[in-house]
Amino acid sequence: MLSYSFSIFSVATATFLICSLSKEQTLKVVKKIFKSAEILKTNPTSFQEEPFLKEKGLSARYLVVSMYKVIYVVKGKTVTITDVFNTNQHPSEMNK
């Protein structure tokens, strides 16, 4: 069984979550994201490619946690979460 490591990249994402939610809500969302992202350690390609980013020539995948789309890239044995996108936003706001 392959094992991947993962990290979270986006400071803008953290700032968005903190500014739009209470501290307690932010912690709850972050914990839920980390728990859901655990599957990425063993099977990072099990989720779909992000079509909006694919149109832009970028290779990224996503998983949905509550009302957030967790965008990530796989390079070698490393999975990096690059964005946590609130699905209430228009996709054109993704990875700005």
Side-chain angles (χ1 to χ4, degrees), residues 21-39:
L21 301 174
S22 71
K23 183 178 177 180
E24 293 79 20
Q25 290 173 317
T26 300
L27 290 173
K28 189 175 181 178
V29 169
V30 169
K31 285 179 183 179
K32 197 169 190 178
I33 288 169
F34 270 102
K35 185 175 181 175
S36 298
E38 283 295 314
I39 193 169

Side-chain angles (χ1 to χ4, degrees), residues 37-50:
E38 283 295 314
I39 193 169
L40 299 179
K41 288 183 177 181
T42 55
N43 200 359
T45 59
S46 64
F47 295 97
Q48 295 180 32
E49 288 187 80
E50 171 49 56

Side-chain angles (χ1 to χ4, degrees), residues 34-92:
F34 270 102
K35 185 175 181 175
S36 298
E38 283 295 314
I39 193 169
L40 299 179
K41 288 183 177 181
T42 55
N43 200 359
T45 59
S46 64
F47 295 97
Q48 295 180 32
E49 288 187 80
E50 171 49 56
F52 188 78
L53 295 176
K54 190 173 184 178
E55 288 175 9
K56 293 181 173 185
L58 302 171
S59 178
R61 295 183 175 272
Y62 73 94
L63 68 126
V64 177
V65 179
S66 297
M67 63 184 201
Y68 297 94
K69 190 179 268 192
V70 179
I71 310 294
Y72 66 95
V73 295
V74 180
K75 289 188 180 179
K77 290 185 120 186
T78 303
V79 177
T80 303
I81 296 173
T82 59
D83 199 8
V84 178
F85 181 75
N86 186 320
T87 57
N88 292 324
Q89 296 178 80
H90 190 273
S92 64

